[in-house]
Amino acid sequence: MELLPTIWFIAIAVLWTGYLFLEGFDLGVGMLMKLFARNNTERRVLLNTIGPVWDGNEVWLLTAGGATFAAFPLWYASLFSALYLPLLVVLVALIFRAVAFEYRGKVDTESWRARWDWAIALGSFLAAFGVGAALALTTTGLPLNANGDREGGPFAWFSGYAVLGGLAVVCFSLLHALAFLALKTDGDVRHRARSWFIRLLPVLLLPLAGWAVSVQVLSGKAWTVAAVAVAVVAAAVAWFLARKGAEGRAFTALGAFLVLGSASIFGAVFPVVLPSTLSPEFNLTISNASSSDYTLGLMSIVAAVGLPLVIAYQAWTYWVFRRRVSAAHIPEAHSFLPAVAAKAFTKG
């Protein structure tokens, strides 16, 4: 087996797992703006928990996509062209979500905030569903021909696996967000989030578990099946720790469930990076889809220098903003004049 393509396959799997872990809870918090928060104060508490970190979390998505493009250009070309429409929806959803974070508090009216709250919630849902569908199809297959081109119309990608993957990421994000809110907030929001987490864990983890088991049935190996079994144990540990009130350890155990589940999925399909549902002969693998050894070697040097710096900076950010947030920390909402209007008013 080729060394550098294998290393970069593992690296891309790690980047996608990191994205799901970090962006998962803030996409979930976005969806909970409408599902969980009871009033504007609670919505502002939720926003303040992810406010300092959400845009940094999205860097992992860009890095995963960029690494795929550079290390496995045929994988990138086949996947992104086949999923052009759903990935376009993901992009628009992320744009509306980002704009909503900035614009929500600019006008102190219920109708203004409600519109942007829906933009955050729906943008988070569509982004999570689209990414989940894309990753599920990466591991279960698309109708690709010998040239790596999609056969069929613009919706040839749509399948039960796409829906399962989309639901898996949406449901995991919601559960991960509840664990995060129990860890990052105080007062009623904290206790209610922990209660919801305990009640909903068995249900919200089912789609992700179903995705992992489906991949094992298709192409599982002994160690990947074992990883699924250990992931189930990690989920049970998370539930038990949440009942004990150990929010930090419950959050970590849920993260272990994700890491083990992700490892089982990517490990099961290896060395295939994108299966073809038309014929196994058309599968894209680490051998026929990768860049040259020179390119991969240069990328390895850059990653060895840059990635630790990014991780260190992001870890520092989380450390700085580690304190819990509660309703007592939220000031009263108020209107203000834009800078241009304020200047004109002063001169008048």
Side-chain angles (χ1 to χ4, degrees), residues 54-107:
W54 70 267
D55 47 354
N57 294 341
E58 285 191 355
V59 170
W60 288 76
L61 175 63
L62 300 176
T63 307
T68 305
F69 170 76
F72 298 98
L74 293 182
W75 180 9
Y76 179 92
S78 296
L79 180 66
F80 279 66
S81 61
L83 302 180
Y84 185 86
L85 285 179
L87 292 179
L88 178 62
V89 172
V90 169
L91 178 61
V92 173
L94 289 174
I95 291 172
F96 269 92
R97 180 173 178 266
V99 171
F101 283 139
E102 302 297 332
Y103 276 44
R104 182 186 185 276
K106 301 304 182 186
V107 177

Side-chain angles (χ1 to χ4, degrees), residues 4 14 19 38 43 72-73 83 88 127 129 160 188 202 205-206 213 257 272 287 309 313 329 345:
L4 285 176
V14 169
Y19 173 74
R38 293 173 173 172
R43 292 186 182 97
F72 298 98
L83 302 180
L88 178 62
F129 189 91
D188 184 57
L205 288 186
L206 280 178
V213 170
F257 169 85
V272 176
S287 298
L309 294 176
Y313 173 77
H329 299 138
F345 178 79

Side-chain angles (χ1 to χ4, degrees), residues 207-255:
L208 185 52
W211 174 16
V213 170
S214 298
V215 173
Q216 304 312 310
V217 172
L218 292 173
S219 55
K221 305 172 177 69
W223 76 266
T224 60
V225 173
V228 173
V230 179
V232 173
V233 174
V237 170
W239 182 84
F240 176 79
L241 290 171
R243 285 181 59 88
K244 292 289 186 180
E247 290 118 339
R249 285 181 287 173
F251 182 80
T252 303
L254 186 64

Side-chain angles (χ1 to χ4, degrees), residues 74 95 124 135 171 199 210 222 242 255 261 298-299 308 340:
L74 293 182
I95 291 172
S124 299
L135 289 176
C171 292
R199 289 202 308 257
L298 185 61
M299 288 173 58
V340 175

Side-chain angles (χ1 to χ4, degrees), residues 96-189:
F96 269 92
R97 180 173 178 266
V99 171
F101 283 139
E102 302 297 332
Y103 276 44
R104 182 186 185 276
K106 301 304 182 186
V107 177
D108 184 24
T109 66
E110 287 297 326
S111 59
W112 174 270
R113 286 192 293 265
R115 285 194 292 270
W116 293 115
D117 288 342
W118 278 112
I120 294 171
L122 292 177
S124 299
F125 170 79
L126 290 174
F129 189 91
V131 168
L135 289 176
L137 292 171
T138 295
T139 56
T140 57
L142 285 164
L144 303 178
N145 60 25
N147 295 321
D149 298 325
R150 182 198 67 215
E151 295 283 349
F155 294 98
W157 57 271
F158 189 79
S159 67
Y161 287 124
V163 175
L164 178 63
L167 290 176
V169 174
V170 167
C171 292
F172 177 80
S173 296
L174 287 170
L175 187 66
H176 203 32
L178 291 170
F180 179 74
L181 291 175
L183 175 64
K184 196 68 175 65
T185 63
D186 213 345
D188 184 57
V189 172

